[in-house]
Amino acid sequence: MNVSRRRSRGRVAHRARAHVAARRPRGPVSATEARRALQAFQRSVESGDVRGLLDVLAPDVVLLGDGGGIKQAALRPVVGADRVARLLASRKVEVAAPSLHPAEVNGWPALIVRSGGALDTVPTVRVDDGLVSGLYAVRSPEKLSHVQQATALRR
């Protein structure tokens, strides 16, 4: 990959992260509101229901992927409910019978996604006004090893 292309991708990612960081909730999100949004998100992802995803995603939702250069992940931020919903629905088709379990990761609502029993992805979600406004989907094996150790201790 040429240097200018790498810089361009870096700028896009930087702007998207800044956009997500700059958005502040209008008020604190209650645990109940976050749980409801996460449950609706989980149901829609499990069923591949694009309409359900569009109902729970904020119009300007941003999805950031982190595959650590090892696992496949979105290389650029995915912005907009329609684009994020289509990506998540297509992922459902690619992954054979994933299991999703709600969790809290670094203080954020999250889902633990296992495929074939193995830890596959941990998307953390940001909820604003009852809608998922940000997703950070970690697939990096190095980062997931910390989640694997923490979930193993709880059993």
mmCIF file of all heavy atoms in Angstrom, residues 9 12-17 19-20 23 41 53-54 57-66 72-91 124 132-137:
data_model
loop_
_atom_site.group_PDB
_atom_site.id
_atom_site.type_symbol
_atom_site.label_atom_id
_atom_site.label_comp_id
_atom_site.label_asym_id
_atom_site.label_seq_id
_atom_site.Cartn_x
_atom_site.Cartn_y
_atom_site.Cartn_z
ATOM 1 N N ARG A 9 -6.237 6.855 4.864
ATOM 2 C CA ARG A 9 -7.011 5.968 5.745
ATOM 3 C C ARG A 9 -6.850 6.380 7.198
ATOM 4 O O ARG A 9 -7.800 6.351 7.962
ATOM 5 C CB ARG A 9 -6.575 4.521 5.573
ATOM 6 C CG ARG A 9 -7.107 3.890 4.338
ATOM 7 C CD ARG A 9 -6.774 2.434 4.305
ATOM 8 N NE ARG A 9 -7.290 1.859 3.083
ATOM 9 C CZ ARG A 9 -7.027 0.652 2.673
ATOM 10 N NH1 ARG A 9 -6.227 -0.121 3.388
ATOM 11 N NH2 ARG A 9 -7.538 0.188 1.562
ATOM 12 N N VAL A 12 -9.021 9.409 7.853
ATOM 13 C CA VAL A 12 -10.437 9.047 7.928
ATOM 14 C C VAL A 12 -10.739 8.418 9.287
ATOM 15 O O VAL A 12 -11.713 8.776 9.950
ATOM 16 C CB VAL A 12 -10.821 8.079 6.779
ATOM 17 C CG1 VAL A 12 -12.202 7.505 6.993
ATOM 18 C CG2 VAL A 12 -10.748 8.796 5.440
ATOM 19 N N ALA A 13 -9.906 7.497 9.712
ATOM 20 C CA ALA A 13 -10.111 6.849 11.009
ATOM 21 C C ALA A 13 -10.005 7.859 12.143
ATOM 22 O O ALA A 13 -10.808 7.838 13.080
ATOM 23 C CB ALA A 13 -9.097 5.726 11.204
ATOM 24 N N HIS A 14 -9.034 8.756 12.047
ATOM 25 C CA HIS A 14 -8.868 9.781 13.083
ATOM 26 C C HIS A 14 -10.111 10.669 13.171
ATOM 27 O O HIS A 14 -10.609 10.957 14.260
ATOM 28 C CB HIS A 14 -7.624 10.622 12.789
ATOM 29 C CG HIS A 14 -7.446 11.762 13.726
ATOM 30 N ND1 HIS A 14 -7.005 11.586 15.025
ATOM 31 C CD2 HIS A 14 -7.697 13.080 13.573
ATOM 32 C CE1 HIS A 14 -6.969 12.755 15.620
ATOM 33 N NE2 HIS A 14 -7.381 13.683 14.765
ATOM 34 N N ARG A 15 -10.625 11.101 12.024
ATOM 35 C CA ARG A 15 -11.816 11.960 12.017
ATOM 36 C C ARG A 15 -13.016 11.210 12.595
ATOM 37 O O ARG A 15 -13.804 11.786 13.340
ATOM 38 C CB ARG A 15 -12.126 12.447 10.605
ATOM 39 C CG ARG A 15 -11.223 13.562 10.145
ATOM 40 C CD ARG A 15 -11.755 14.245 8.890
ATOM 41 N NE ARG A 15 -12.087 13.336 7.814
ATOM 42 C CZ ARG A 15 -11.282 13.002 6.822
ATOM 43 N NH1 ARG A 15 -10.068 13.509 6.753
ATOM 44 N NH2 ARG A 15 -11.683 12.178 5.874
ATOM 45 N N ALA A 16 -13.162 9.932 12.263
ATOM 46 C CA ALA A 16 -14.295 9.160 12.773
ATOM 47 C C ALA A 16 -14.199 8.995 14.286
ATOM 48 O O ALA A 16 -15.188 9.144 15.000
ATOM 49 C CB ALA A 16 -14.359 7.793 12.109
ATOM 50 N N ARG A 17 -12.991 8.696 14.782
ATOM 51 C CA ARG A 17 -12.822 8.560 16.231
ATOM 52 C C ARG A 17 -13.114 9.887 16.925
ATOM 53 O O ARG A 17 -13.741 9.927 17.977
ATOM 54 C CB ARG A 17 -11.414 8.091 16.562
ATOM 55 C CG ARG A 17 -11.201 6.632 16.279
ATOM 56 C CD ARG A 17 -9.827 6.169 16.786
ATOM 57 N NE ARG A 17 -9.431 4.976 16.104
ATOM 58 C CZ ARG A 17 -8.596 4.915 15.077
ATOM 59 N NH1 ARG A 17 -8.000 6.007 14.624
ATOM 60 N NH2 ARG A 17 -8.304 3.771 14.501
ATOM 61 N N HIS A 19 -15.096 12.212 15.828
ATOM 62 C CA HIS A 19 -16.538 12.413 15.735
ATOM 63 C C HIS A 19 -17.253 11.643 16.838
ATOM 64 O O HIS A 19 -18.129 12.181 17.517
ATOM 65 C CB HIS A 19 -17.040 11.964 14.359
ATOM 66 C CG HIS A 19 -18.518 11.967 14.224
ATOM 67 N ND1 HIS A 19 -19.258 13.117 14.075
ATOM 68 C CD2 HIS A 19 -19.406 10.948 14.219
ATOM 69 C CE1 HIS A 19 -20.527 12.808 13.984
ATOM 70 N NE2 HIS A 19 -20.642 11.506 14.070
ATOM 71 N N VAL A 20 -16.887 10.400 17.029
ATOM 72 C CA VAL A 20 -17.510 9.580 18.077
ATOM 73 C C VAL A 20 -17.207 10.170 19.443
ATOM 74 O O VAL A 20 -18.092 10.293 20.294
ATOM 75 C CB VAL A 20 -17.036 8.113 17.987
ATOM 76 C CG1 VAL A 20 -17.516 7.311 19.189
ATOM 77 C CG2 VAL A 20 -17.539 7.475 16.704
ATOM 78 N N ARG A 23 -19.209 13.387 20.380
ATOM 79 C CA ARG A 23 -20.637 13.256 20.675
ATOM 80 C C ARG A 23 -20.798 12.914 22.139
ATOM 81 O O ARG A 23 -20.297 11.918 22.612
ATOM 82 C CB ARG A 23 -21.249 12.161 19.814
ATOM 83 C CG ARG A 23 -21.233 12.509 18.345
ATOM 84 C CD ARG A 23 -21.998 11.525 17.552
ATOM 85 N NE ARG A 23 -23.393 11.621 17.952
ATOM 86 C CZ ARG A 23 -24.218 10.592 17.984
ATOM 87 N NH1 ARG A 23 -23.799 9.420 17.651
ATOM 88 N NH2 ARG A 23 -25.462 10.738 18.358
ATOM 89 N N PHE A 41 -30.744 -4.606 20.037
ATOM 90 C CA PHE A 41 -29.629 -4.777 19.102
ATOM 91 C C PHE A 41 -29.284 -6.259 18.971
ATOM 92 O O PHE A 41 -29.140 -6.782 17.868
ATOM 93 C CB PHE A 41 -28.425 -3.962 19.589
ATOM 94 C CG PHE A 41 -27.205 -4.104 18.744
ATOM 95 C CD1 PHE A 41 -27.131 -3.509 17.496
ATOM 96 C CD2 PHE A 41 -26.116 -4.835 19.196
ATOM 97 C CE1 PHE A 41 -25.997 -3.631 16.705
ATOM 98 C CE2 PHE A 41 -24.981 -4.965 18.418
ATOM 99 C CZ PHE A 41 -24.919 -4.365 17.167
ATOM 100 N N LEU A 53 -32.609 -3.682 13.100
ATOM 101 C CA LEU A 53 -31.351 -2.949 13.288
ATOM 102 C C LEU A 53 -31.548 -1.468 12.992
ATOM 103 O O LEU A 53 -31.077 -0.613 13.741
ATOM 104 C CB LEU A 53 -30.250 -3.527 12.395
ATOM 105 C CG LEU A 53 -29.634 -4.830 12.871
ATOM 106 C CD1 LEU A 53 -28.773 -5.461 11.774
ATOM 107 C CD2 LEU A 53 -28.802 -4.599 14.122
ATOM 108 N N LEU A 54 -32.248 -1.156 11.917
ATOM 109 C CA LEU A 54 -32.490 0.247 11.572
ATOM 110 C C LEU A 54 -33.285 0.958 12.668
ATOM 111 O O LEU A 54 -33.095 2.147 12.901
ATOM 112 C CB LEU A 54 -33.211 0.350 10.228
ATOM 113 C CG LEU A 54 -32.369 -0.028 9.014
ATOM 114 C CD1 LEU A 54 -33.232 -0.116 7.764
ATOM 115 C CD2 LEU A 54 -31.227 0.952 8.821
ATOM 116 N N LEU A 57 -30.577 1.507 15.654
ATOM 117 C CA LEU A 57 -29.364 2.274 15.344
ATOM 118 C C LEU A 57 -29.703 3.748 15.136
ATOM 119 O O LEU A 57 -30.676 4.076 14.453
ATOM 120 C CB LEU A 57 -28.691 1.727 14.083
ATOM 121 C CG LEU A 57 -28.135 0.309 14.154
ATOM 122 C CD1 LEU A 57 -27.649 -0.145 12.775
ATOM 123 C CD2 LEU A 57 -27.026 0.204 15.179
ATOM 124 N N ALA A 58 -28.887 4.619 15.715
ATOM 125 C CA ALA A 58 -29.028 6.057 15.466
ATOM 126 C C ALA A 58 -28.713 6.315 13.991
ATOM 127 O O ALA A 58 -27.896 5.614 13.393
ATOM 128 C CB ALA A 58 -28.066 6.840 16.361
ATOM 129 N N PRO A 59 -29.354 7.317 13.384
ATOM 130 C CA PRO A 59 -29.110 7.593 11.959
ATOM 131 C C PRO A 59 -27.642 7.816 11.626
ATOM 132 O O PRO A 59 -27.183 7.439 10.556
ATOM 133 C CB PRO A 59 -29.925 8.857 11.688
ATOM 134 C CG PRO A 59 -30.959 8.891 12.756
ATOM 135 C CD PRO A 59 -30.342 8.224 13.959
ATOM 136 N N ASP A 60 -26.877 8.412 12.553
ATOM 137 C CA ASP A 60 -25.469 8.710 12.292
ATOM 138 C C ASP A 60 -24.523 7.790 13.060
ATOM 139 O O ASP A 60 -23.396 8.155 13.378
ATOM 140 C CB ASP A 60 -25.157 10.166 12.612
ATOM 141 C CG ASP A 60 -25.469 10.523 14.062
ATOM 142 O OD1 ASP A 60 -26.145 9.730 14.749
ATOM 143 O OD2 ASP A 60 -25.046 11.602 14.519
ATOM 144 N N VAL A 61 -24.968 6.565 13.332
ATOM 145 C CA VAL A 61 -24.146 5.593 14.055
ATOM 146 C C VAL A 61 -22.805 5.395 13.342
ATOM 147 O O VAL A 61 -22.724 5.477 12.116
ATOM 148 C CB VAL A 61 -24.893 4.241 14.203
ATOM 149 C CG1 VAL A 61 -25.158 3.593 12.855
ATOM 150 C CG2 VAL A 61 -24.135 3.277 15.109
ATOM 151 N N VAL A 62 -21.764 5.158 14.138
ATOM 152 C CA VAL A 62 -20.432 4.900 13.585
ATOM 153 C C VAL A 62 -19.948 3.563 14.117
ATOM 154 O O VAL A 62 -19.964 3.322 15.325
ATOM 155 C CB VAL A 62 -19.427 6.009 13.989
ATOM 156 C CG1 VAL A 62 -18.027 5.676 13.478
ATOM 157 C CG2 VAL A 62 -19.873 7.360 13.475
ATOM 158 N N LEU A 63 -19.527 2.676 13.224
ATOM 159 C CA LEU A 63 -18.955 1.390 13.601
ATOM 160 C C LEU A 63 -17.467 1.422 13.287
ATOM 161 O O LEU A 63 -17.068 1.745 12.170
ATOM 162 C CB LEU A 63 -19.615 0.244 12.834
ATOM 163 C CG LEU A 63 -19.084 -1.147 13.135
ATOM 164 C CD1 LEU A 63 -20.213 -2.166 13.106
ATOM 165 C CD2 LEU A 63 -17.990 -1.586 12.185
ATOM 166 N N LEU A 64 -16.663 1.117 14.306
ATOM 167 C CA LEU A 64 -15.217 0.995 14.123
ATOM 168 C C LEU A 64 -14.846 -0.464 14.354
ATOM 169 O O LEU A 64 -15.293 -1.073 15.330
ATOM 170 C CB LEU A 64 -14.469 1.877 15.123
ATOM 171 C CG LEU A 64 -14.733 3.379 15.044
ATOM 172 C CD1 LEU A 64 -14.050 4.093 16.207
ATOM 173 C CD2 LEU A 64 -14.241 3.930 13.736
ATOM 174 N N GLY A 65 -14.042 -1.019 13.483
ATOM 175 C CA GLY A 65 -13.601 -2.403 13.622
ATOM 176 C C GLY A 65 -12.134 -2.468 13.999
ATOM 177 O O GLY A 65 -11.351 -1.601 13.630
ATOM 178 N N ASP A 66 -11.779 -3.502 14.770
ATOM 179 C CA ASP A 66 -10.397 -3.691 15.189
ATOM 180 C C ASP A 66 -10.053 -5.171 15.083
ATOM 181 O O ASP A 66 -10.395 -5.950 15.956
ATOM 182 C CB ASP A 66 -10.213 -3.196 16.631
ATOM 183 C CG ASP A 66 -8.789 -3.331 17.142
ATOM 184 O OD1 ASP A 66 -7.939 -3.919 16.443
ATOM 185 O OD2 ASP A 66 -8.535 -2.851 18.253
ATOM 186 N N GLN A 72 -10.304 -10.358 10.008
ATOM 187 C CA GLN A 72 -11.016 -9.468 9.110
ATOM 188 C C GLN A 72 -11.890 -8.520 9.940
ATOM 189 O O GLN A 72 -12.596 -8.944 10.851
ATOM 190 C CB GLN A 72 -11.892 -10.272 8.159
ATOM 191 C CG GLN A 72 -12.614 -9.417 7.157
ATOM 192 C CD GLN A 72 -13.462 -10.236 6.198
ATOM 193 O OE1 GLN A 72 -13.579 -11.438 6.331
ATOM 194 N NE2 GLN A 72 -14.052 -9.568 5.234
ATOM 195 N N ALA A 73 -11.815 -7.243 9.625
ATOM 196 C CA ALA A 73 -12.624 -6.220 10.284
ATOM 197 C C ALA A 73 -12.768 -5.052 9.322
ATOM 198 O O ALA A 73 -12.000 -4.936 8.364
ATOM 199 C CB ALA A 73 -11.959 -5.765 11.581
ATOM 200 N N ALA A 74 -13.741 -4.203 9.584
ATOM 201 C CA ALA A 74 -13.926 -3.022 8.748
ATOM 202 C C ALA A 74 -12.644 -2.190 8.798
ATOM 203 O O ALA A 74 -12.181 -1.829 9.874
ATOM 204 C CB ALA A 74 -15.112 -2.210 9.244
ATOM 205 N N LEU A 75 -12.069 -1.915 7.647
ATOM 206 C CA LEU A 75 -10.816 -1.161 7.587
ATOM 207 C C LEU A 75 -11.039 0.327 7.804
ATOM 208 O O LEU A 75 -10.144 1.024 8.257
ATOM 209 C CB LEU A 75 -10.125 -1.385 6.245
ATOM 210 C CG LEU A 75 -9.685 -2.820 5.964
ATOM 211 C CD1 LEU A 75 -9.087 -2.925 4.568
ATOM 212 C CD2 LEU A 75 -8.709 -3.289 7.012
ATOM 213 N N ARG A 76 -12.213 0.790 7.432
ATOM 214 C CA ARG A 76 -12.561 2.204 7.606
ATOM 215 C C ARG A 76 -13.817 2.275 8.448
ATOM 216 O O ARG A 76 -14.610 1.339 8.470
ATOM 217 C CB ARG A 76 -12.840 2.833 6.249
ATOM 218 C CG ARG A 76 -11.608 2.971 5.418
ATOM 219 C CD ARG A 76 -11.931 3.665 4.096
ATOM 220 N NE ARG A 76 -11.103 3.017 3.100
ATOM 221 C CZ ARG A 76 -11.535 2.442 2.004
ATOM 222 N NH1 ARG A 76 -12.799 2.454 1.701
ATOM 223 N NH2 ARG A 76 -10.702 1.863 1.180
ATOM 224 N N PRO A 77 -14.033 3.400 9.107
ATOM 225 C CA PRO A 77 -15.271 3.564 9.868
ATOM 226 C C PRO A 77 -16.477 3.410 8.944
ATOM 227 O O PRO A 77 -16.471 3.871 7.806
ATOM 228 C CB PRO A 77 -15.181 4.993 10.402
ATOM 229 C CG PRO A 77 -13.720 5.301 10.399
ATOM 230 C CD PRO A 77 -13.138 4.554 9.247
ATOM 231 N N VAL A 78 -17.489 2.734 9.437
ATOM 232 C CA VAL A 78 -18.745 2.575 8.701
ATOM 233 C C VAL A 78 -19.727 3.541 9.360
ATOM 234 O O VAL A 78 -19.987 3.448 10.554
ATOM 235 C CB VAL A 78 -19.253 1.122 8.773
ATOM 236 C CG1 VAL A 78 -20.553 0.970 8.003
ATOM 237 C CG2 VAL A 78 -18.190 0.151 8.261
ATOM 238 N N VAL A 79 -20.246 4.478 8.580
ATOM 239 C CA VAL A 79 -21.086 5.542 9.120
ATOM 240 C C VAL A 79 -22.481 5.468 8.516
ATOM 241 O O VAL A 79 -22.626 5.315 7.308
ATOM 242 C CB VAL A 79 -20.459 6.929 8.829
ATOM 243 C CG1 VAL A 79 -21.324 8.043 9.395
ATOM 244 C CG2 VAL A 79 -19.041 7.015 9.384
ATOM 245 N N GLY A 80 -23.478 5.569 9.382
ATOM 246 C CA GLY A 80 -24.876 5.592 8.945
ATOM 247 C C GLY A 80 -25.583 4.288 9.264
ATOM 248 O O GLY A 80 -25.012 3.204 9.133
ATOM 249 N N ALA A 81 -26.838 4.419 9.700
ATOM 250 C CA ALA A 81 -27.616 3.253 10.117
ATOM 251 C C ALA A 81 -27.775 2.232 8.996
ATOM 252 O O ALA A 81 -27.637 1.022 9.222
ATOM 253 C CB ALA A 81 -28.985 3.697 10.631
ATOM 254 N N ASP A 82 -28.049 2.687 7.785
ATOM 255 C CA ASP A 82 -28.267 1.768 6.675
ATOM 256 C C ASP A 82 -27.017 0.935 6.383
ATOM 257 O O ASP A 82 -27.087 -0.288 6.246
ATOM 258 C CB ASP A 82 -28.709 2.532 5.429
ATOM 259 C CG ASP A 82 -29.103 1.599 4.291
ATOM 260 O OD1 ASP A 82 -29.954 0.723 4.530
ATOM 261 O OD2 ASP A 82 -28.539 1.739 3.185
ATOM 262 N N ARG A 83 -25.870 1.591 6.317
ATOM 263 C CA ARG A 83 -24.614 0.883 6.008
ATOM 264 C C ARG A 83 -24.230 -0.080 7.127
ATOM 265 O O ARG A 83 -23.801 -1.206 6.871
ATOM 266 C CB ARG A 83 -23.496 1.891 5.749
ATOM 267 C CG ARG A 83 -23.750 2.688 4.458
ATOM 268 C CD ARG A 83 -22.652 3.661 4.168
ATOM 269 N NE ARG A 83 -21.467 2.901 3.777
ATOM 270 C CZ ARG A 83 -20.228 3.347 3.897
ATOM 271 N NH1 ARG A 83 -20.006 4.549 4.382
ATOM 272 N NH2 ARG A 83 -19.208 2.610 3.539
ATOM 273 N N VAL A 84 -24.385 0.365 8.385
ATOM 274 C CA VAL A 84 -24.034 -0.498 9.519
ATOM 275 C C VAL A 84 -24.980 -1.696 9.580
ATOM 276 O O VAL A 84 -24.543 -2.828 9.776
ATOM 277 C CB VAL A 84 -24.042 0.302 10.842
ATOM 278 C CG1 VAL A 84 -23.898 -0.626 12.042
ATOM 279 C CG2 VAL A 84 -22.920 1.335 10.844
ATOM 280 N N ALA A 85 -26.281 -1.464 9.395
ATOM 281 C CA ALA A 85 -27.266 -2.555 9.433
ATOM 282 C C ALA A 85 -26.981 -3.594 8.357
ATOM 283 O O ALA A 85 -27.008 -4.805 8.619
ATOM 284 C CB ALA A 85 -28.677 -1.996 9.279
ATOM 285 N N ARG A 86 -26.684 -3.146 7.146
ATOM 286 C CA ARG A 86 -26.378 -4.089 6.059
ATOM 287 C C ARG A 86 -25.119 -4.891 6.362
ATOM 288 O O ARG A 86 -25.061 -6.091 6.106
ATOM 289 C CB ARG A 86 -26.231 -3.357 4.731
ATOM 290 C CG ARG A 86 -27.574 -2.977 4.132
ATOM 291 C CD ARG A 86 -27.396 -2.370 2.790
ATOM 292 N NE ARG A 86 -26.433 -1.263 2.946
ATOM 293 C CZ ARG A 86 -26.147 -0.382 2.035
ATOM 294 N NH1 ARG A 86 -26.686 -0.451 0.868
ATOM 295 N NH2 ARG A 86 -25.285 0.585 2.254
ATOM 296 N N LEU A 87 -24.095 -4.225 6.920
ATOM 297 C CA LEU A 87 -22.858 -4.926 7.266
ATOM 298 C C LEU A 87 -23.125 -5.993 8.329
ATOM 299 O O LEU A 87 -22.678 -7.130 8.201
ATOM 300 C CB LEU A 87 -21.801 -3.939 7.758
ATOM 301 C CG LEU A 87 -20.493 -4.573 8.238
ATOM 302 C CD1 LEU A 87 -19.725 -5.158 7.060
ATOM 303 C CD2 LEU A 87 -19.649 -3.557 8.968
ATOM 304 N N LEU A 88 -23.853 -5.630 9.375
ATOM 305 C CA LEU A 88 -24.127 -6.579 10.445
ATOM 306 C C LEU A 88 -25.009 -7.728 9.966
ATOM 307 O O LEU A 88 -24.801 -8.877 10.356
ATOM 308 C CB LEU A 88 -24.770 -5.872 11.638
ATOM 309 C CG LEU A 88 -23.872 -4.869 12.355
ATOM 310 C CD1 LEU A 88 -24.662 -4.096 13.401
ATOM 311 C CD2 LEU A 88 -22.672 -5.553 12.982
ATOM 312 N N ALA A 89 -25.993 -7.437 9.131
ATOM 313 C CA ALA A 89 -26.864 -8.492 8.603
ATOM 314 C C ALA A 89 -26.082 -9.434 7.693
ATOM 315 O O ALA A 89 -26.285 -10.649 7.723
ATOM 316 C CB ALA A 89 -28.042 -7.881 7.854
ATOM 317 N N SER A 90 -25.147 -8.911 6.917
ATOM 318 C CA SER A 90 -24.345 -9.772 6.035
ATOM 319 C C SER A 90 -23.395 -10.635 6.858
ATOM 320 O O SER A 90 -23.094 -11.762 6.505
ATOM 321 C CB SER A 90 -23.563 -8.951 5.013
ATOM 322 O OG SER A 90 -22.518 -8.229 5.635
ATOM 323 N N ARG A 91 -22.923 -10.121 7.969
ATOM 324 C CA ARG A 91 -22.028 -10.876 8.867
ATOM 325 C C ARG A 91 -22.763 -12.077 9.429
ATOM 326 O O ARG A 91 -22.194 -13.128 9.631
ATOM 327 C CB ARG A 91 -21.535 -9.951 9.993
ATOM 328 C CG ARG A 91 -20.640 -10.603 10.980
ATOM 329 C CD ARG A 91 -19.188 -10.529 10.538
ATOM 330 N NE ARG A 91 -18.374 -11.063 11.616
ATOM 331 C CZ ARG A 91 -17.651 -12.149 11.499
ATOM 332 N NH1 ARG A 91 -17.591 -12.781 10.361
ATOM 333 N NH2 ARG A 91 -16.943 -12.590 12.507
ATOM 334 N N THR A 124 -18.605 -3.366 21.651
ATOM 335 C CA THR A 124 -19.128 -2.527 22.716
ATOM 336 C C THR A 124 -20.007 -1.480 22.051
ATOM 337 O O THR A 124 -19.763 -1.098 20.905
ATOM 338 C CB THR A 124 -18.012 -1.843 23.531
ATOM 339 O OG1 THR A 124 -17.173 -1.108 22.645
ATOM 340 C CG2 THR A 124 -17.180 -2.864 24.289
ATOM 341 N N VAL A 132 -28.487 2.951 19.584
ATOM 342 C CA VAL A 132 -27.062 2.638 19.495
ATOM 343 C C VAL A 132 -26.433 3.665 18.562
ATOM 344 O O VAL A 132 -26.770 3.726 17.380
ATOM 345 C CB VAL A 132 -26.837 1.203 18.974
ATOM 346 C CG1 VAL A 132 -25.359 0.943 18.745
ATOM 347 C CG2 VAL A 132 -27.422 0.176 19.948
ATOM 348 N N SER A 133 -25.538 4.485 19.114
ATOM 349 C CA SER A 133 -24.930 5.552 18.327
ATOM 350 C C SER A 133 -23.472 5.275 17.972
ATOM 351 O O SER A 133 -22.893 5.958 17.149
ATOM 352 C CB SER A 133 -25.017 6.884 19.077
ATOM 353 O OG SER A 133 -24.347 6.788 20.308
ATOM 354 N N GLY A 134 -22.889 4.260 18.604
ATOM 355 C CA GLY A 134 -21.508 3.907 18.315
ATOM 356 C C GLY A 134 -21.255 2.436 18.599
ATOM 357 O O GLY A 134 -21.819 1.879 19.541
ATOM 358 N N LEU A 135 -20.453 1.824 17.773
ATOM 359 C CA LEU A 135 -20.058 0.426 17.935
ATOM 360 C C LEU A 135 -18.553 0.327 17.747
ATOM 361 O O LEU A 135 -18.012 0.889 16.792
ATOM 362 C CB LEU A 135 -20.724 -0.458 16.866
ATOM 363 C CG LEU A 135 -22.204 -0.699 17.000
ATOM 364 C CD1 LEU A 135 -22.792 -1.045 15.655
ATOM 365 C CD2 LEU A 135 -22.431 -1.825 17.979
ATOM 366 N N TYR A 136 -17.903 -0.377 18.651
ATOM 367 C CA TYR A 136 -16.475 -0.641 18.516
ATOM 368 C C TYR A 136 -16.322 -2.154 18.580
ATOM 369 O O TYR A 136 -16.444 -2.759 19.640
ATOM 370 C CB TYR A 136 -15.696 0.051 19.629
ATOM 371 C CG TYR A 136 -14.202 -0.188 19.566
ATOM 372 C CD1 TYR A 136 -13.478 0.031 18.400
ATOM 373 C CD2 TYR A 136 -13.505 -0.622 20.690
ATOM 374 C CE1 TYR A 136 -12.105 -0.181 18.345
ATOM 375 C CE2 TYR A 136 -12.133 -0.839 20.645
ATOM 376 C CZ TYR A 136 -11.448 -0.613 19.478
ATOM 377 O OH TYR A 136 -10.092 -0.826 19.425
ATOM 378 N N ALA A 137 -16.149 -2.780 17.424
ATOM 379 C CA ALA A 137 -16.117 -4.232 17.306
ATOM 380 C C ALA A 137 -14.673 -4.734 17.325
ATOM 381 O O ALA A 137 -13.930 -4.544 16.366
ATOM 382 C CB ALA A 137 -16.813 -4.678 16.034
#
